[in-house]
Structure formats: structure tokens, C-alpha cells
Coordinates of all heavy atoms in Angstrom, one line a residue:
M1 N 26.9 32.3 16.5 CA 27.1 31.0 16.0 C 28.5 30.9 15.3 O 29.2 29.9 15.4 CB 26.1 30.6 15.0 CG 26.3 29.2 14.5 SD 24.9 28.6 13.5 CE 25.4 29.1 11.9
C2 N 29.0 32.0 14.7 CA 30.2 32.0 14.0 C 31.4 31.7 15.0 O 32.2 30.9 14.7 CB 30.4 33.3 13.4 SG 32.0 33.5 12.5
W3 N 31.4 32.4 16.2 CA 32.5 32.1 17.1 C 32.4 30.7 17.7 O 33.5 30.1 17.9 CB 32.5 33.2 18.2 CG 32.7 34.6 17.7 CD1 31.9 35.6 17.6 CD2 34.0 35.1 17.1 NE1 32.4 36.7 17.0 CE2 33.7 36.4 16.7 CE3 35.2 34.5 16.8 CZ2 34.7 37.2 16.1 CZ3 36.2 35.3 16.2 CH2 35.9 36.6 15.9
D4 N 31.2 30.3 18.0 CA 31.1 28.9 18.5 C 31.6 27.9 17.5 O 32.3 26.9 17.8 CB 29.7 28.6 18.8 CG 29.2 29.3 20.1 OD1 30.0 29.7 20.9 OD2 28.0 29.6 20.2
A5 N 31.3 28.1 16.2 CA 31.7 27.1 15.2 C 33.3 27.1 15.1 O 33.9 26.1 15.0 CB 31.1 27.5 13.8
Q6 N 33.9 28.3 15.1 CA 35.3 28.4 15.1 C 36.0 27.7 16.3 O 37.0 27.1 16.1 CB 35.8 29.9 15.0 CG 35.4 30.6 13.7 CD 36.0 29.9 12.5 OE1 37.2 29.6 12.5 NE2 35.2 29.8 11.5
A7 N 35.4 27.9 17.4 CA 35.9 27.2 18.6 C 35.8 25.7 18.5 O 36.8 25.0 18.9 CB 35.1 27.6 19.9
V8 N 34.7 25.2 18.0 CA 34.6 23.7 17.8 C 35.7 23.2 16.8 O 36.3 22.2 17.0 CB 33.2 23.4 17.3 CG1 33.1 21.9 16.8 CG2 32.2 23.6 18.4
I9 N 35.8 24.0 15.7 CA 36.8 23.6 14.7 C 38.2 23.6 15.3 O 39.0 22.6 15.1 CB 36.8 24.6 13.5 CG1 35.5 24.4 12.7 CG2 38.0 24.4 12.6 CD1 35.3 25.5 11.7
L10 N 38.6 24.6 16.1 CA 39.9 24.6 16.8 C 40.0 23.4 17.7 O 41.1 22.7 17.7 CB 40.1 25.9 17.5 CG 41.3 26.0 18.4 CD1 42.6 26.0 17.6 CD2 41.3 27.2 19.3
L11 N 39.0 23.2 18.6 CA 39.1 22.1 19.5 C 39.3 20.7 18.8 O 40.0 19.9 19.3 CB 37.9 22.1 20.5 CG 37.9 23.3 21.4 CD1 36.5 23.4 22.1 CD2 39.0 23.2 22.4
R12 N 38.5 20.6 17.8 CA 38.6 19.3 17.0 C 40.0 19.2 16.4 O 40.6 18.1 16.3 CB 37.5 19.2 16.0 CG 36.2 18.8 16.6 CD 35.3 18.2 15.6 NE 34.3 17.3 16.2 CZ 33.1 17.3 15.9 NH1 32.6 18.0 15.0 NH2 32.3 16.4 16.5
F13 N 40.5 20.2 15.8 CA 41.8 20.2 15.1 C 42.9 19.8 16.2 O 43.7 19.0 15.9 CB 42.1 21.6 14.5 CG 43.5 21.7 14.0 CD1 43.8 21.1 12.8 CD2 44.5 22.3 14.7 CE1 45.1 21.2 12.3 CE2 45.8 22.4 14.2 CZ 46.1 21.8 13.0
L14 N 42.8 20.4 17.3 CA 43.8 20.1 18.4 C 43.7 18.6 18.8 O 44.7 17.9 19.0 CB 43.6 21.0 19.6 CG 43.9 22.5 19.4 CD1 43.5 23.3 20.6 CD2 45.4 22.6 19.0
R15 N 42.5 18.1 18.9 CA 42.3 16.7 19.3 C 42.9 15.8 18.2 O 43.5 14.8 18.5 CB 40.8 16.4 19.5 CG 40.4 15.0 19.8 CD 40.2 14.5 21.2 NE 39.9 15.4 22.2 CZ 38.8 15.4 22.9 NH1 37.9 14.6 22.6 NH2 38.7 16.2 24.0
V16 N 42.6 16.1 16.9 CA 43.1 15.2 15.8 C 44.6 15.4 15.7 O 45.3 14.4 15.4 CB 42.3 15.6 14.5 CG1 43.0 14.9 13.3 CG2 40.9 15.3 14.6
A17 N 45.1 16.5 15.9 CA 46.6 16.8 15.8 C 47.4 15.9 16.8 O 48.5 15.6 16.6 CB 46.9 18.2 16.0
Q18 N 46.7 15.6 17.9 CA 47.4 14.7 19.0 C 47.7 13.3 18.4 O 48.6 12.7 18.9 CB 46.6 14.7 20.2 CG 46.5 16.0 21.0 CD 45.6 15.9 22.2 OE1 44.8 14.9 22.4 NE2 45.7 16.9 23.0
G19 N 46.9 12.9 17.5 CA 47.1 11.6 16.9 C 46.5 10.5 17.8 O 45.9 10.7 18.9
G20 N 46.8 9.3 17.4 CA 46.4 8.1 18.2 C 44.9 7.8 18.2 O 44.2 8.2 17.3
A21 N 44.5 7.0 19.1 CA 43.1 6.5 19.2 C 42.1 7.6 19.3 O 41.0 7.6 18.7 CB 43.0 5.5 20.3
K22 N 42.4 8.6 20.2 CA 41.5 9.8 20.3 C 41.3 10.5 19.0 O 40.2 10.9 18.8 CB 42.0 10.7 21.4 CG 41.9 10.3 22.8 CD 42.3 11.4 23.8 CE 42.0 11.0 25.2 NZ 42.3 12.1 26.1
A23 N 42.3 10.6 18.2 CA 42.2 11.3 16.9 C 41.3 10.5 16.0 O 40.4 11.1 15.3 CB 43.5 11.5 16.3
R24 N 41.4 9.2 16.0 CA 40.6 8.4 15.1 C 39.1 8.4 15.6 O 38.2 8.6 14.8 CB 41.1 6.9 15.1 CG 42.3 6.7 14.2 CD 42.7 5.2 14.1 NE 43.1 4.6 15.3 CZ 44.3 4.7 15.9 NH1 45.2 5.4 15.2 NH2 44.6 4.1 17.0
T25 N 38.9 8.4 16.9 CA 37.6 8.4 17.4 C 36.9 9.8 17.1 O 35.8 9.8 16.7 CB 37.6 8.2 18.9 OG1 38.2 6.9 19.2 CG2 36.2 8.2 19.5
E26 N 37.7 10.8 17.3 CA 37.2 12.2 17.0 C 36.8 12.4 15.5 O 35.8 13.0 15.2 CB 38.2 13.2 17.5 CG 37.6 14.6 17.4 CD 36.4 14.8 18.3 OE1 36.3 14.3 19.4 OE2 35.5 15.5 17.8
T27 N 37.7 11.9 14.7 CA 37.4 12.0 13.2 C 36.1 11.2 12.9 O 35.3 11.8 12.1 CB 38.6 11.4 12.4 OG1 39.8 12.1 12.8 CG2 38.4 11.6 10.9
Q28 N 36.0 10.0 13.4 CA 34.8 9.3 13.1 C 33.5 10.0 13.7 O 32.5 10.0 13.0 CB 34.9 7.8 13.7 CG 33.8 6.9 13.2 CD 33.9 6.6 11.7 OE1 34.9 6.6 11.1 NE2 32.7 6.4 11.2
R29 N 33.6 10.5 14.9 CA 32.5 11.2 15.5 C 32.1 12.4 14.7 O 31.0 12.7 14.6 CB 32.9 11.5 17.0 CG 31.8 12.2 17.7 CD 32.1 12.5 19.1 NE 31.9 11.3 19.9 CZ 32.4 11.0 21.0 NH1 33.3 11.9 21.6 NH2 32.1 10.0 21.7
M30 N 33.1 13.1 14.3 CA 32.9 14.3 13.5 C 32.1 14.1 12.2 O 31.1 14.8 12.0 CB 34.3 15.0 13.1 CG 34.2 16.3 12.4 SD 35.8 17.1 12.1 CE 36.8 15.7 11.5
I31 N 32.5 13.0 11.5 CA 31.7 12.6 10.3 C 30.3 12.2 10.6 O 29.3 12.7 10.0 CB 32.5 11.5 9.6 CG1 33.8 12.0 9.1 CG2 31.6 11.0 8.4 CD1 34.7 11.0 8.6
T32 N 30.1 11.4 11.7 CA 28.8 11.0 12.1 C 27.9 12.2 12.5 O 26.8 12.3 12.1 CB 28.9 10.0 13.2 OG1 29.7 8.9 12.8 CG2 27.6 9.5 13.7
E33 N 28.5 13.1 13.3 CA 27.7 14.3 13.7 C 27.3 15.2 12.6 O 26.3 15.7 12.6 CB 28.5 15.1 14.8 CG 28.6 14.4 16.1 CD 29.5 15.1 17.1 OE1 30.1 16.2 16.7 OE2 29.6 14.6 18.2
K34 N 28.2 15.3 11.6 CA 27.9 16.2 10.4 C 26.8 15.6 9.6 O 25.9 16.4 9.2 CB 29.2 16.4 9.6 CG 30.2 17.3 10.2 CD 31.3 17.7 9.3 CE 32.3 18.5 10.0 NZ 31.8 19.8 10.5
V35 N 26.8 14.3 9.4 CA 25.7 13.7 8.6 C 24.4 13.8 9.4 O 23.3 14.1 8.8 CB 26.0 12.2 8.3 CG1 24.8 11.5 7.8 CG2 27.2 12.1 7.4
A36 N 24.4 13.6 10.7 CA 23.2 13.7 11.5 C 22.7 15.2 11.5 O 21.5 15.4 11.4 CB 23.5 13.3 13.0
A37 N 23.6 16.1 11.6 CA 23.2 17.5 11.6 C 22.5 17.9 10.3 O 21.5 18.6 10.2 CB 24.4 18.4 11.9
L38 N 23.1 17.5 9.2 CA 22.6 17.7 7.9 C 21.2 17.2 7.7 O 20.3 17.8 7.3 CB 23.5 17.2 6.8 CG 23.0 17.3 5.4 CD1 22.8 18.7 4.9 CD2 23.9 16.5 4.4
T39 N 21.0 15.9 8.2 CA 19.7 15.3 8.1 C 18.7 16.0 8.9 O 17.6 16.3 8.5 CB 19.8 13.8 8.6 OG1 20.8 13.1 7.8 CG2 18.5 13.1 8.5
E40 N 19.1 16.4 10.1 CA 18.1 17.2 11.0 C 17.8 18.5 10.4 O 16.6 18.9 10.5 CB 18.8 17.4 12.4 CG 17.9 17.9 13.4 CD 18.5 18.1 14.8 OE1 19.5 17.4 15.1 OE2 18.0 18.9 15.6
A41 N 18.8 19.2 9.8 CA 18.5 20.5 9.2 C 17.6 20.4 8.0 O 16.7 21.2 7.8 CB 19.8 21.2 8.8
Q42 N 17.8 19.3 7.2 CA 16.9 19.1 6.0 C 15.5 18.8 6.5 O 14.5 19.3 5.9 CB 17.4 17.9 5.2 CG 18.7 18.3 4.4 CD 19.2 17.1 3.6 OE1 19.1 15.9 4.1 NE2 19.7 17.3 2.5
V43 N 15.3 18.0 7.5 CA 14.0 17.7 8.0 C 13.3 19.0 8.5 O 12.1 19.3 8.3 CB 14.0 16.7 9.2 CG1 12.7 16.6 9.9 CG2 14.4 15.3 8.6
A44 N 14.1 19.8 9.3 CA 13.5 21.1 9.8 C 13.1 22.0 8.7 O 12.0 22.6 8.7 CB 14.6 21.8 10.7
A45 N 13.9 22.1 7.6 CA 13.6 22.9 6.5 C 12.4 22.4 5.7 O 11.5 23.2 5.3 CB 14.8 23.0 5.6
T46 N 12.3 21.1 5.6 CA 11.2 20.5 4.9 C 9.9 20.7 5.6 O 8.9 21.1 5.0 CB 11.4 19.0 4.7 OG1 12.6 18.8 3.9 CG2 10.3 18.3 3.9
V47 N 9.9 20.5 6.9 CA 8.7 20.7 7.7 C 8.3 22.2 7.6 O 7.1 22.5 7.4 CB 8.9 20.3 9.2 CG1 7.8 20.8 10.1 CG2 9.1 18.8 9.3
A48 N 9.2 23.1 7.7 CA 8.9 24.5 7.6 C 8.3 24.9 6.3 O 7.3 25.6 6.1 CB 10.1 25.4 7.9
T49 N 8.9 24.3 5.2 CA 8.4 24.5 3.9 C 6.9 24.0 3.7 O 6.1 24.6 3.1 CB 9.3 23.8 2.8 OG1 10.6 24.4 3.0 CG2 8.8 24.1 1.4
L50 N 6.7 22.8 4.2 CA 5.4 22.2 4.1 C 4.3 22.9 4.9 O 3.1 22.9 4.6 CB 5.4 20.7 4.6 CG 6.2 19.7 3.7 CD1 6.3 18.4 4.3 CD2 5.6 19.7 2.3
K51 N 4.8 23.6 5.9 CA 3.8 24.4 6.7 C 3.6 25.8 6.0 O 2.8 26.6 6.5 CB 4.4 24.7 8.1 CG 4.3 23.5 9.0 CD 4.8 23.8 10.4 CE 4.7 22.6 11.3 NZ 5.1 22.9 12.7
G52 N 4.3 26.0 4.9 CA 4.0 27.3 4.2 C 4.9 28.5 4.7 O 4.5 29.6 4.4
S53 N 5.9 28.2 5.4 CA 6.8 29.3 5.9 C 7.5 30.0 4.7 O 7.7 29.4 3.7 CB 7.8 28.7 6.8 OG 7.2 28.2 8.0
K54 N 7.8 31.3 4.9 CA 8.5 32.0 3.9 C 10.0 31.5 3.9 O 10.5 30.9 4.9 CB 8.5 33.5 4.2 CG 7.0 34.0 4.2 CD 7.0 35.5 4.3 CE 5.5 35.9 4.3 NZ 5.2 36.8 3.3
K55 N 10.7 31.9 2.8 CA 12.1 31.4 2.7 C 13.0 31.7 3.8 O 13.8 30.9 4.2 CB 12.6 31.9 1.3 CG 12.0 31.4 0.1 CD 12.6 32.0 -1.1 CE 11.8 31.5 -2.4 NZ 12.4 32.1 -3.6
H56 N 12.9 32.9 4.3 CA 13.8 33.3 5.4 C 13.5 32.5 6.7 O 14.4 32.2 7.5 CB 13.8 34.8 5.7 CG 12.6 35.3 6.3 ND1 11.4 35.5 5.6 CD2 12.3 35.6 7.6 CE1 10.5 36.0 6.4 NE2 11.0 36.1 7.6
R57 N 12.3 32.1 6.9 CA 11.9 31.3 8.1 C 12.5 29.9 7.9 O 12.9 29.2 8.8 CB 10.4 31.3 8.3 CG 9.8 32.6 8.6 CD 9.7 32.7 10.1 NE 9.1 33.9 10.5 CZ 9.5 34.8 11.4 NH1 10.6 34.5 12.0 NH2 8.9 35.9 11.7
V58 N 12.4 29.4 6.7 CA 12.9 28.0 6.4 C 14.4 28.0 6.6 O 14.9 27.1 7.3 CB 12.6 27.6 4.9 CG1 13.3 26.3 4.5 CG2 11.1 27.5 4.7
A59 N 15.1 29.0 6.1 CA 16.6 29.1 6.4 C 16.9 29.2 7.8 O 17.8 28.6 8.3 CB 17.1 30.3 5.6
K60 N 16.1 30.0 8.6 CA 16.3 30.1 10.0 C 16.1 28.8 10.8 O 16.9 28.5 11.7 CB 15.4 31.2 10.6 CG 15.7 31.6 12.0 CD 14.8 32.8 12.4 CE 15.2 33.2 13.8 NZ 14.5 34.4 14.2
K61 N 15.2 28.0 10.4 CA 14.9 26.7 11.0 C 16.1 25.8 10.7 O 16.6 25.1 11.7 CB 13.7 26.1 10.4 CG 12.4 26.7 10.9 CD 12.2 26.3 12.3 CE 10.8 26.8 12.8 NZ 10.5 26.6 14.1
A62 N 16.6 25.8 9.5 CA 17.8 24.9 9.2 C 19.0 25.4 9.9 O 19.7 24.5 10.5 CB 18.0 24.9 7.7
L63 N 19.3 26.6 9.9 CA 20.5 27.2 10.6 C 20.4 27.0 12.1 O 21.4 26.9 12.8 CB 20.7 28.6 10.2 CG 21.2 28.8 8.8 CD1 21.3 30.3 8.5 CD2 22.6 28.2 8.6
G64 N 19.2 27.0 12.6 CA 19.0 26.8 14.0 C 19.5 25.5 14.5 O 20.0 25.3 15.6
V65 N 19.4 24.5 13.6 CA 19.9 23.1 14.0 C 21.4 23.2 14.2 O 21.9 22.7 15.2 CB 19.6 22.1 12.9 CG1 20.3 20.8 13.1 CG2 18.1 21.9 12.8
Y66 N 22.1 23.9 13.3 CA 23.6 24.0 13.4 C 23.9 24.8 14.6 O 24.9 24.5 15.3 CB 24.1 24.5 12.1 CG 24.0 23.6 10.9 CD1 23.2 23.9 9.9 CD2 24.7 22.4 10.9 CE1 23.0 23.0 8.8 CE2 24.6 21.5 9.8 CZ 23.7 21.8 8.8 OH 23.6 21.0 7.8
A67 N 23.2 25.9 14.8 CA 23.5 26.8 16.0 C 23.4 26.0 17.3 O 24.3 26.1 18.1 CB 22.6 28.0 16.0
R68 N 22.4 25.2 17.4 CA 22.2 24.4 18.7 C 23.4 23.4 18.8 O 23.9 23.2 19.9 CB 20.9 23.6 18.6 CG 19.8 24.3 19.3 CD 18.6 23.3 19.5 NE 18.4 22.4 18.4 CZ 17.7 22.6 17.3 NH1 17.2 23.8 17.1 NH2 17.5 21.7 16.4
R69 N 23.7 22.8 17.7 CA 24.8 21.7 17.8 C 26.1 22.3 18.1 O 26.9 21.7 18.8 CB 24.8 20.9 16.5 CG 23.6 20.0 16.4 CD 23.6 19.3 15.1 NE 22.6 18.2 15.1 CZ 22.9 16.9 15.3 NH1 24.2 16.6 15.5 NH2 22.0 16.0 15.3
V70 N 26.4 23.5 17.6 CA 27.8 24.0 17.8 C 27.9 24.6 19.2 O 29.0 24.6 19.7 CB 28.1 25.2 16.8 CG1 29.5 25.2 16.4 CG2 27.3 25.2 15.6
R71 N 26.8 25.0 19.8 CA 26.9 25.4 21.2 C 27.3 24.3 22.1 O 27.8 24.5 23.2 CB 25.6 26.1 21.6 CG 25.4 27.5 21.1 CD 24.3 28.2 21.7 NE 23.0 27.5 21.5 CZ 22.1 27.9 20.6 NH1 22.3 28.9 19.8 NH2 21.0 27.2 20.5
R72 N 27.0 23.1 21.7 CA 27.3 21.9 22.6 C 28.8 21.5 22.4 O 29.1 20.4 21.8 CB 26.4 20.8 22.2 CG 25.0 21.0 22.6 CD 24.2 19.7 22.4 NE 23.2 19.9 21.4 CZ 22.7 19.0 20.6 NH1 23.1 17.8 20.7 NH2 21.8 19.3 19.8
K73 N 29.7 22.3 22.8 CA 31.1 21.9 22.6 C 31.8 21.5 23.9 O 33.0 21.4 24.0 CB 31.9 23.1 22.0 CG 31.9 24.3 22.8 CD 32.6 25.4 22.1 CE 32.6 26.7 22.9 NZ 31.7 27.7 22.5
R74 N 31.0 21.3 25.0 CA 31.6 20.9 26.3 C 32.5 19.7 26.2 O 33.6 19.7 26.8 CB 30.5 20.7 27.3 CG 29.9 22.0 27.8 CD 28.9 21.7 28.9 NE 27.9 22.7 28.9 CZ 26.6 22.5 28.5 NH1 26.2 21.3 28.2 NH2 25.8 23.4 28.5
R75 N 32.1 18.7 25.5 CA 32.9 17.5 25.4 C 34.3 17.7 24.9 O 35.3 17.2 25.3 CB 32.1 16.4 24.5 CG 32.9 15.2 24.3 CD 32.3 14.3 23.3 NE 32.1 14.9 22.0 CZ 33.1 15.0 21.1 NH1 34.2 14.6 21.3 NH2 32.8 15.6 19.9
L76 N 34.4 18.6 23.9 CA 35.7 18.9 23.3 C 36.6 19.7 24.2 O 37.8 19.6 24.0 CB 35.5 19.6 21.9 CG 34.9 18.8 20.8 CD1 34.5 19.7 19.7 CD2 35.9 17.8 20.3
S77 N 36.0 20.5 25.0 CA 36.8 21.4 25.9 C 37.4 20.7 27.1 O 38.1 21.3 27.9 CB 36.0 22.6 26.3 OG 34.9 22.3 26.9
K78 N 37.1 19.4 27.3 CA 37.6 18.6 28.4 C 39.1 18.2 28.2 O 39.5 18.0 27.2 CB 36.8 17.4 28.7 CG 35.4 17.8 29.2 CD 34.6 16.5 29.5 CE 33.2 16.9 29.9 NZ 32.4 15.7 30.1

């Protein structure tokens, strides 16, 4: 997940550095995606907690959301 996250950060940085309409769109999309990922991770952690999972399982569920989302970097690599 660490390398995937770094790749996404680099690709987004390059897109924003180009400026213009694509940069504005990417910045807005980035903010929207981060809020959605946080919400999804909180729901996953809450569900795991309510099911009685141990702390490390709750953390794994929450981090799994971010891991899935960072692997989806195809759009940025175009």
C-alpha cells in the first residue's frame, strides 16, 4: 500500500503542477475522494467494532478501504 500511495501522490502532484482546468478538476476530485474514503473507513471500522472484532481487526478493516482506493490509480496514469 505504501508504494501505491506514493505513486498516487506523485501522479496527482504532476497533474496539479500542469495547472489549468485539469489541475482544478484534480484538486476538487482529490478532496472529494478523501472525504469519501474517510467516511467509508469510519463505517468499516464502526461495523467491525459493533461485531465485536478485536482492535487489530478494526484497524485492518479501516486500512483496507484506503488500500483498495490507492490501488485504483489507472485514471491518473493516463
Side-chain angles (χ1 to χ4, degrees):
M1 183 172 89
C2 180
W3 295 112
D4 288 334
Q6 293 299 318
V8 169
I9 291 168
L10 173 66
L11 292 169
R12 279 199 156 143
F13 174 76
L14 293 173
R15 173 99 22 116
V16 171
Q18 290 175 350
K22 282 187 175 183
R24 283 189 294 279
T25 302
E26 187 60 40
T27 303
Q28 191 64 32
R29 179 177 277 161
M30 181 173 49
I31 293 168
T32 304
E33 287 176 358
K34 288 188 182 303
V35 171
L38 173 63
T39 303
E40 188 180 339
Q42 286 177 326
V43 168
T46 301
V47 168
T49 301
L50 292 174
K51 287 183 175 180
S53 298
K54 298 190 183 232
K55 291 179 184 180
H56 71 280
R57 295 266 184 227
V58 173
K60 189 173 184 174
K61 289 286 188 183
L63 288 174
V65 170
Y66 292 111
R68 265 193 324 278
R69 285 174 169 261
V70 216
R71 282 192 301 261
R72 291 190 241 152
K73 62 180 179 257
R74 284 188 210 109
R75 177 188 57 81
L76 290 169
S77 58
K78 290 180 183 176

